[in-house]
Amino acid sequence: GDGICLWDAKDASGGAAAWQKNFNPAYPESGFIRIWDNSGDFTTVAFLIDLLNVTGTKPALVRYPDIVAKFGMEGDFTDSSGNGYNGVAKNGAAFTSDKVWGYSAGSFKAANDYVTVGNLYGNFPDNTFDIEAWVKLDDTGNGSRRAIAGGTGAAADYSIGLIDNQFMVSAGNGSAVNYAKSGIVPNPGQWYHVAGTYDGSNLRIYVNGELKNTVSAAWRQSNGGADFWIGGESCCSSNNYNGLIDEVA
């Protein structure tokens, strides 16, 4: 397989837990942690975990409470975070067995297909965000902006995607949008892990676990901002992504 399992962890009820690191074999430094409890259930915050605490001052597993939504693309667009932001497929967004993890990935190859999640305004109290996904592109959009996941519109953007044929993360301050471009032009037909973060002052873009660029930026959360979409933008229907997407959070 493509993972590493450790069986000596404990779940919340004290039972044995399985830990597995998911990664692209071509980029073993990239990946995240999934955890199942002893009944085989996937914990909803599995990729945001403190793995070990050798000092013994807190439990070995620390679950982060601030995940907003998570989409495993396992035959539906359900939000597995427990927050209820279930996605709705539009215009042919579907699934494929060509995936990074689990049973399927989202397929965004039809004309103008995307998944709409809703407005996530108010879920980022520190005015920071992190967005990540695995992607396998059919093309890079010929230099145009292409949305992988995020809320794009009203210059209150927060998203990961492509621009100038390279992976990027963006944030809008209400009047303009700033981009942190990765410098990485992806090869069609290859899986990549893309993550974008904003810490309140700086945008950072990571590709396959490596920091590629940091850009100073401002972001204005707005209740009049765009809904969160996967594979497209609520502002601009011509900017839809073309390819596969898996494990969005």
Side-chain angles (χ1 to χ4, degrees), residues 11 34-37 41-47 49 63 80:
D11 65 14
R34 289 183 169 278
I35 296 178
W36 288 260
D37 65 20
D41 294 329
F42 167 47
T43 58
T44 60
V45 290
F47 60 95
I49 297 289
R63 298 188 177 189
S80 62

Side-chain angles (χ1 to χ4, degrees), residues 163-180:
I163 197 167
D164 297 335
N165 297 308
Q166 55 191 290
F167 292 125
M168 62 79 176
V169 58
S170 68
N173 61 14
S175 59
V177 179
N178 292 301
Y179 300 94

Side-chain angles (χ1 to χ4, degrees), residues 12-168:
S13 64
W19 297 22
Q20 188 162 8
K21 180 176 179 181
N22 177 41
F23 65 100
N24 182 337
Y27 300 96
E29 72 279 6
S30 66
F32 50 87
I33 299 298
R34 289 183 169 278
I35 296 178
W36 288 260
D37 65 20
N38 56 359
S39 65
D41 294 329
F42 167 47
T43 58
T44 60
V45 290
F47 60 95
L48 293 175
I49 297 289
D50 252 346
L51 289 181
L52 296 172
N53 181 346
V54 296
T55 67
T57 58
K58 61 182 179 180
L61 299 185
V62 178
R63 298 188 177 189
Y64 290 75
D66 52 357
I67 179 172
V68 176
K70 197 273 180 191
F71 305 92
M73 309 291 186
E74 301 300 342
D76 59 36
F77 296 107
T78 299
D79 169 20
S80 62
S81 75
N83 292 328
Y85 290 109
N86 297 322
V88 177
K90 302 288 186 179
N91 302 327
F95 300 95
T96 174
S97 60
D98 184 357
K99 82 292 185 189
V100 168
W101 185 261
Y103 302 101
S104 61
S107 179
F108 297 81
K109 298 192 177 196
N112 194 33
D113 57 348
Y114 59 91
V115 169
T116 180
V117 173
N119 196 309
L120 303 184
Y121 171 75
N123 283 287
F124 312 96
D126 297 324
N127 217 49
T128 63
F129 66 80
D130 304 85
I131 306 173
E132 67 170 314
W134 284 90
V135 296
K136 185 177 183 180
L137 294 80
D138 285 354
D139 61 69
T140 60
N142 297 317
S144 299
R145 189 173 68 195
R146 294 289 182 263
I148 295 170
T152 307
D157 304 46
Y158 60 107
S159 67
I160 55 173
L162 298 107
I163 197 167
D164 297 335
N165 297 308
Q166 55 191 290
F167 292 125
M168 62 79 176

